[in-house]
Amino acid sequence: MIGAPGPLLPPSSLCQRHHSLYSFIPYTEHSHLLHNIQVPYYYSKLKYSCTNSQLSNGHLQKSIGKCHAQHEDDKCDTSESRFVLDVQTLKSFPVEKLDGEFVMLRFDSITLLEPLNIHNAFGNGTLSTIRYLYNAGAKVFLVSNWGRSGGPTVLSVESVAGHLSSLLQVKVVAAKTVPCYMEIKSEKFHKADILLFENLTLFREELANCPAFSEKLASGASIFVNDAFFLSHKILASTVGVARFCYARLAGFHFEDQLLQLKQIREITMQPYLAIIGGGKFLEKAAALLRLASICDGLIFVGMLAFQVMHASGISVPSCFLEHDAFGEAAELIELVKSRRIPIYFPTDLWCVNDKNSELFEIFSSERLLPGWTPIDLGPMALKEINNFLSVCKKVLWIGPVKFASSANGAVGASNLGRMLEIIFVWDFLKGKTLPGVAALDRAYPYEIDWATIYENPTQLLVVDIGSGNGLFPLKMAEKWKDLNFLGLEINNKLVLHCHDVMLNCNRKNVHFISTNATSTFRSIVSTYPGELFLVSIQCPNPDFNREGHRWRMVQRALVEAIIDLLAVDAKVFLQSDIEAVTIRMKEQFIKYGEGRIVKDEEDDEDEIWLPENPFGVRSDWEQHVVDRGDFMYRIMLRKVGNP
């Protein structure tokens, strides 16, 4: 089982393990929690690099307040680019569809296995995800990584399973392998409430995102739930690779909560707004640091980056702690900070370890570091000062580990700051990069739809054309049936823009088009419509999308189930293609996943496999092209019946 936390001073073996796992980036908006923190023996100041002068607590607060008041109108526009952060969540997924399904849950060991984090919001979020799946009747198997490969303190899968059992109060059984179909279907699973698979740290294929390994991990699972948000910046087999082998890919409760907070970083509505910045590699982060300097009311450096800032500010720093080719970028940051007249800080004291005796620790002023001593963490005065001036902040961004060297020693400040603030990954987000772990999940439609603005009468029966192309079919149908509303869903945004232009010219109020991937967004879009879903048409999908094993083939289980769930009783599904195999496959998917709720329309001629004519008298452009060249269209009408 997990041991109890060790002493805070000096750095302990617990802190070593805790620190080594903190490879992600922190953020919080809960600075009100800092008001009750008691650190009685911390007494000191930080340096204000713009003037190179020491400031008292009162001066710190006045400086922060003043810079906010003077430059509130100077905030850079944070809406110039949009990140794809809208995903399907476990919360929005129909709970009844979890019953009896094999669900793979990827959790982050930090949230559940570290003693300092057992009772925090992160751990509670992940535990809630596991309990929710279990209570919904899902057959849950867990995968994660913990410790370092070959390390002496790596926990066994049995001990982790025992620890999770005590937290969840259900039986978690260890499997000394990675998931595979035979293991999932084995008797061992039937004897367990939840199954935990072997530590992924032991497999190099995990870091390589090996396709074969990913397929093995996902084998047997129909639904993938990712609750390891702090790994979103990495491309791993267990967070990215497995997604393509499961029919539904969802964000767990913890993942969803942190994703929402990440979005709020770009919504600067609470002031003053400060950033605490740790870590190293100034050159790699220069663009993101300039970004922060343009939107924050102050910057606080607490890692190796602090030495670069000190050096650019004219303070003597040992050369071994500097990136000598980053001086220009650091100077540019200082100039930006000065132009905005916001404060920039670095710690005045540091914990250091003796290079010859790793058991010997001392506190040194950051300006008087001695040869033979390596900084490893914030000193007590720096921590006291951070605690004091954060109490005046409304929004705090903590980015990067509190790490001053690549030493194997632990981190006092990491532990204490970890008690002050919560954590989230943001570096790649600030750089404008896509987070792979987020992109691998199913998309959700990102906006609330005002149906009353779109349609003149939003309660009319709705017809949805999936893959609407240039919109000819919905537009002509809308002209012919004015007492119905029509919605075209098309993944090609250029075609949707063309359809919008046509709509404006003809001034029709019963047709609309949305640019989206209907496979993953149909449910979130159509479920909000106030009227009934009357008809869904899927016409002539590109056969390239239907290659076996192709993730983005149009008619997948998730889409079929969403359509059938949302259709009114006796409502219909119209399928057609000029390629017989494509229509057959679409029909088979609806019959298979309809579970008795979808049948061939009884109004059709039972002796005919295919409809000889288009029942609407309105053709899509491709259908017209096929008919004009004398070829046959393979059409079928399906109907939803009541529950079998």
Side-chain angles (χ1 to χ4, degrees):
M1 298 297 293
I2 310 298
L8 293 179
L9 297 174
S12 65
S13 59
L14 169 65
C15 294
Q16 290 182 29
R17 184 163 54 113
H18 177 76
H19 186 64
S20 67
L21 289 171
Y22 269 66
S23 60
F24 45 82
I25 310 297
Y27 155 80
T28 187
E29 212 172 5
H30 302 281
S31 55
H32 61 278
L33 298 176
L34 301 173
H35 293 191
N36 298 323
I37 294 178
Q38 302 296 323
V39 197
Y41 53 88
Y42 291 164
Y43 57 97
S44 86
K45 302 169 184 176
L46 292 172
K47 296 288 184 173
Y48 177 35
S49 128
C50 289
T51 61
N52 200 26
S53 63
Q54 293 186 350
L55 299 174
S56 67
N57 289 342
H59 287 144
L60 283 169
Q61 296 177 14
K62 290 178 182 178
S63 174
I64 295 170
K66 183 179 180 181
C67 83
H68 166 57
Q70 290 180 344
H71 297 280
E72 186 172 10
D73 295 333
D74 295 337
K75 302 293 182 189
C76 82
D77 182 11
T78 61
S79 62
E80 72 278 1
S81 63
R82 177 173 179 83
F83 295 88
V84 181
L85 297 175
D86 301 283
V87 300
Q88 292 283 10
T89 65
L90 180 59
K91 188 183 299 181
S92 64
F93 191 77
V95 64
E96 64 274 10
K97 293 192 176 298
L98 296 171
D99 188 22
E101 295 285 357
F102 286 89
V103 179
M104 173 183 175
L105 173 65
R106 184 24 161 126
F107 71 94
D108 186 353
S109 61
I110 281 291
T111 62
L112 295 181
L113 305 186
E114 287 301 301
L116 292 179
N117 290 286
I118 285 176
H119 301 295
N120 68 11
F122 299 157
N124 289 337
T126 298
L127 290 174
S128 296
T129 299
I130 299 172
R131 291 191 183 105
Y132 180 85
L133 291 169
Y134 173 72
N135 292 333
K139 299 176 181 179
V140 185
F141 61 93
L142 308 174
V143 295
S144 186
N145 64 305
W146 54 88
R148 296 179 179 177
S149 182
T153 60
V154 175
L155 297 168
S156 68
V157 66
E158 289 85 1
S159 64
V160 173
H163 176 63
L164 293 178
S165 295
S166 66
L167 291 178
L168 294 164
Q169 295 299 300
V170 297
K171 186 177 182 181
V172 179
V173 173
K176 294 189 71 66
T177 180
V178 294
C180 64
Y181 184 79
M182 294 304 295
E183 191 73 27
I184 295 298
K185 301 296 183 182
S186 69
E187 188 67 24
K188 180 182 291 186
F189 207 139
H190 296 291
K191 295 179 180 179
D193 293 325
I194 297 171
L195 203 59
L196 172 69
F197 283 89
E198 184 58 274
N199 184 2
L200 294 177
T201 302
L202 306 178
F203 300 90
R204 288 181 294 179
E205 299 93 334
E206 160 74 346
L207 287 175
N209 189 26
C210 172
F213 185 72
S214 299
E215 186 173 10
K216 184 178 181 181
L217 277 178
S219 62
S222 56
I223 300 172
F224 169 60
V225 177
N226 190 351
D227 225 16
F229 184 74
F230 300 147
L231 301 175
S232 293
H233 61 298
K234 296 184 177 182
I235 301 176
L236 304 173
S238 62
T239 60
V240 176
V242 297
R244 66 186 298 264
F245 298 105
C246 300
Y247 95 87
R249 300 150 285 265
L250 312 171
F253 297 148
H254 165 65
F255 195 108
E256 179 185 7
D257 179 65
Q258 298 310 307
L259 192 57
L260 289 174
Q261 291 198 49
L262 184 60
K263 290 182 182 181
Q264 293 171 4
I265 291 175
R266 303 183 67 83
E267 301 170 4
I268 314 303
T269 58
M270 301 178 67
Q271 306 295 344
Y273 175 37
L274 297 186
I276 301 176
I277 305 166
K281 299 182 180 179
F282 196 98
L283 271 179
E284 288 186 8
K285 300 180 174 72
L289 291 171
L290 289 173
R291 169 80 178 162
L292 286 172
S294 68
I295 64 175
C296 293
D297 298 313
L299 304 180
I300 305 160
F301 287 91
V302 294
M304 285 296 290
L305 294 174
F307 295 123
Q308 204 69 42
V309 173
M310 293 165 62
H311 182 55
S313 302
I315 297 173
S316 177
V317 175
S319 61
C320 60
F321 302 139
L322 297 174
E323 295 177 61
H324 294 285
D325 53 352
F327 180 83
E329 285 75 7
E332 183 181 0
L333 177 68
I334 296 296
E335 288 302 314
L336 175 58
V337 166
K338 286 181 177 179
S339 69
R340 294 194 63 232
R341 287 181 284 175
I342 63 172
I344 184 169
Y345 303 93
F346 53 84
T348 55
D349 65 340
L350 300 166
W351 274 98
C352 298
V353 63
N354 189 280
D355 294 344
K356 295 182 179 180
N357 183 359
S358 60
E359 300 297 322
L360 187 59
F361 300 92
E362 291 289 347
I363 299 173
F364 292 97
S365 166
S366 58
E367 296 184 20
R368 294 181 178 85
L369 299 176
L370 298 180
W373 292 85
T374 299
I376 60 168
D377 204 357
L378 299 173
M381 292 191 297
L383 280 171
K384 173 62 176 178
E385 191 67 28
I386 291 174
N387 183 47
N388 285 338
F389 73 73
L390 284 182
S391 65
V392 304
C393 299
K394 299 296 184 182
K395 187 169 184 178
V396 179
L397 183 68
W398 178 16
I399 311 175
V402 183
K403 185 177 181 181
F404 285 86
S406 58
S407 167
N409 292 283
V412 180
S415 301
N416 285 286
L417 277 180
R419 292 173 185 271
M420 294 182 189
L421 303 169
E422 292 181 350
I423 50 183
I424 195 173
F425 180 84
V426 295
W427 272 124
D428 283 348
F429 177 76
L430 287 171
K431 293 176 184 178
K433 296 182 178 179
T434 299
L435 300 179
V438 176
L441 300 178
D442 287 333
R443 299 273 74 78
Y445 193 67
Y447 311 109
E448 292 185 5
I449 303 175
D450 187 354
W451 296 105
T453 301
I454 293 173
Y455 297 118
E456 191 170 52
N457 181 1
T459 63
Q460 291 185 155
L461 297 177
L462 180 67
V463 176
V464 179
D465 185 38
I466 299 176
S468 54
N470 62 13
L472 186 63
F473 180 76
L475 288 166
K476 286 187 174 181
M477 289 281 284
E479 184 178 7
K480 188 174 181 179
W481 283 283
K482 294 182 174 59
D483 57 343
L484 299 175
N485 287 335
F486 295 84
L487 177 64
L489 303 180
E490 169 57 48
I491 199 169
N492 188 324
N493 187 54
K494 291 183 179 179
L495 293 176
V496 171
L497 292 176
H498 164 75
C499 293
H500 286 168
D501 291 339
V502 175
M503 285 166 48
L504 290 174
N505 292 332
C506 65
N507 195 31
R508 293 191 185 122
K509 297 295 186 180
N510 67 330
V511 62
H512 186 67
F513 296 87
I514 293 177
S515 176
T516 187
N517 178 2
T519 301
S520 56
T521 64
F522 184 93
R523 186 184 297 275
S524 59
I525 292 174
V526 179
S527 62
T528 64
Y529 183 73
E532 289 188 338
L533 180 59
F534 173 69
L535 171 70
V536 174
S537 62
I538 306 177
Q539 305 182 56
C540 306
N542 188 333
D544 290 343
F545 286 6
N546 291 272
R547 289 176 294 171
E548 190 63 31
H550 195 294
R551 178 182 173 186
W552 297 116
R553 58 184 181 266
M554 178 177 285
V555 183
Q556 294 187 76
R557 177 179 174 182
L559 176 61
V560 170
E561 290 186 345
I563 291 172
I564 296 173
D565 288 346
L566 297 175
L567 276 173
V569 175
D570 289 329
K572 298 181 181 182
V573 178
F574 177 60
L575 308 173
Q576 75 167 343
S577 173
D578 57 320
I579 301 175
E580 184 177 16
V582 171
T583 306
I584 289 175
R585 186 186 180 283
M586 290 193 292
K587 180 191 71 172
E588 289 176 345
Q589 293 290 92
F590 273 91
I591 298 300
K592 177 179 180 180
Y593 297 118
E595 298 179 339
R597 293 186 295 164
I598 201 83
V599 297
K600 189 172 182 289
D601 188 16
E602 60 190 16
E603 295 180 5
D604 294 347
D605 188 340
E606 291 297 330
D607 296 330
E608 293 284 346
I609 299 177
W610 307 114
L611 292 172
E613 299 292 339
N614 186 317
F616 308 110
V618 175
R619 293 171 178 167
S620 67
D621 56 339
W622 184 253
E623 180 183 6
Q624 187 63 56
H625 171 72
V626 172
V627 172
D628 288 346
R629 74 187 185 197
D631 290 339
F632 187 75
M633 290 295 296
Y634 300 90
R635 310 179 183 94
I636 190 169
M637 189 76 78
L638 304 176
R639 181 173 59 87
K640 179 179 176 179
V641 296
N643 292 327

